[in-house]
Amino acid sequence: MDGFYKLITEKKSLAQACEELSGEDVVGFDCETTELEPRDGKLRLLQLSGSKNTYVIDLRSFEGKKPLAENRDLDPLRKVLFAQRPIKVAHNAKFDSKWVAHHLGTDVGGIFDTMLASQLISAGERDRRHGLADVAAFFLGTEVDKSEQVSDWNAAELTESQIRYAAKDAAIMTGLRNKLLERLRVDGLEQVAELENACVMPIARMELNGFYLDGDSWLRHVEQIKEKRDEVASELQEMLSSAATQANLFGVAEINLDSPTQVSDALRQLGVPIEDSTSANQLEPFANDFPAVGKLLEYRALAKALSSFGENFLEFIRKDTGRIHSDFRQIGAPTGRFSSSNPNIQQIPHQEAYRRCFKAPDGRKLVIADYSQIELRILAEFSDDQSFIGSFVSGKDFHTATAAQVFNVNEEEVTPEQRSFAKRLNFGVVYGIGASRFAAMTGLTIREAEDTLRRYFTTYPRLDEWLRNAAKRAVSERMSRTASGRMMKFNFDQDDRSAVGAAGRNAKNFPIQGTSADILKRALSILHESLRGTSGIIVNTVHDEIIVECGEHDAEDVLEKLTASMESAAKEFLKKVPVKVDAHISDDWSK
DNA sequence: GTGAAGGGCCAC
DNA sequence: AAACGTGGCCCTTCAC
């Protein structure tokens, strides 16, 4: 096995290798780096493995006065990487693509990501792992030794073992892809795999780009919240401890306001009839009768604001870019939605005070676009309910149009209360809401809530039918799909009624939420190509929203391209229901 | 001291 | 009788 690879350290053999590789259909692709963040370290090795040879390129020997990105000797390599062919097979290709993008200055074209393929095949099974070693063991039945992964890739002379490890990782990729392709084909997952693979580079770039955050504005806001929090905390402390002292001979005990157990004890002393939980929706009904409850809710909101979105948030701003570079997991949820962490940029509070701190730097603009009611449009498409679809075609305001139909009045006669009911119904159905929950949410009695739900589903009979069917199929087929073919398996105990119920609600929601994710991902990959040649860079995406930063001079052009990308992506999946994208140019994220 | 579990709450 | 879907983060509590 020794010497199965070729180590490349100079221009001429690199050119020859790339010449050979450019004739391949598929190559394995991997990188070894000295750090995890491209801006923090060096890209040491880049491995490409074709049908004839496995090449290990030592980029240290191409370093000079100029950065690697400007070294023309690497042009042949850039060409192979950028091209759609050969296909580059990598595990967690986002990682390698970020390093190549940052250090070599090129996108990677024609990506096949074995990690994403494995995630698609496992279809939401939570206990499956998707590291390279796990995936290779599962699909190839071979052991992969990862012990050199964390070795010193900075050393002047790499050991034979290190280079062999690097070569091996790339060399197994094409065989692994073959196994995965077979399973993707059998499971009907080829289209969604293509969609995911095309999204890797846009996301890699988005993470490198980062989202500009004005730290000073953020800090000023945090200071205000702090003052309020301290004020509210002492008031609340007073209210709660006056009750505690009566029961406590040893004097006033400070209550830990962040401890649900201590807080619920204190509230009980005050006579608040708490049941099992002190969560906001449980406490809300008592806020009028017990001032301490209202005060507690006020305190919680401020405390949450300071813990999750306080000073510590500023530590995520990179000193060298002034920007936030969150991690995005491309298949963060089984539905195909992204998840985001360090920090989670998808859960920034909606209040203007926070959102306005996310800005375009001087001389630039943000172009912000989101889909209007995308999940309800998807439900309309799936159910083919003509009245429901009609609300999108005719109505100026969707919830008003729904209210008019459900309560059988003209749109002009719809009361604010009716519209509010309609809105909550529309959102609720997507999650498989039941009467009791709807009652709790609206203050209706169970009977009234049942009536209202019945009314809604009588207005939209096909919608009701589709949702019931979705739940039924989850039980019989134990599987559900989105429009792109993305799959979710259901595993539950047939005799456990609540588990069957949960699976049913899941089956109602999965195709809707998942198709929405399909559409967004298509939009991102179309957009990424469409923005070439403009000043636009994608800086964030939140489920049905995409944010692009660009120069003032071509903001209008970018807005047009963003809108067009999102619309055409949605139209690939929605044939009967119109698509609506709202887009605008702004200086910050608040507007 | 560390880490898992659970409560609570932010987003869509 | 009932639990309305998908995430991540912070804090407390409790076990090792």
Side-chain angles (χ1 to χ4, degrees), chain A residues 293-314:
Chain A
V293 170
K295 202 50 88 176
L296 173 63
L297 294 175
E298 199 182 334
Y299 170 78
R300 287 244 179 97
L302 295 166
K304 169 72 181 180
L306 285 170
S307 62
S308 287
F309 310 107
E311 260 163 299
N312 35 2
F313 201 88
L314 295 174

Side-chain angles (χ1 to χ4, degrees), chain A residues 38-99:
Chain A
R39 286 188 177 87
D40 293 337
K42 286 184 173 173
L43 174 56
R44 178 60 191 269
L45 298 182
L46 190 151
Q47 308 92 271
L48 289 168
S49 175
S51 59
K52 302 183 189 71
N53 285 296
T54 295
Y55 295 102
V56 178
I57 303 160
D58 190 350
L59 289 161
R60 188 188 163 100
S61 49
F62 289 86
E63 280 172 4
K65 289 200 183 72
K66 285 186 289 185
L68 286 178
E70 288 165 34
N71 185 341
R72 298 274 72 91
D73 293 352
L74 295 169
D75 280 352
L77 174 61
R78 272 189 277 272
K79 211 173 146 195
V80 169
L81 289 169
F82 182 75
Q84 291 296 314
R85 290 288 180 278
I87 290 169
K88 268 69 67 177
V89 187
H91 197 79
N92 187 17
K94 182 186 78 176
F95 178 88
D96 307 277
S97 306
K98 280 173 78 173
W99 283 84

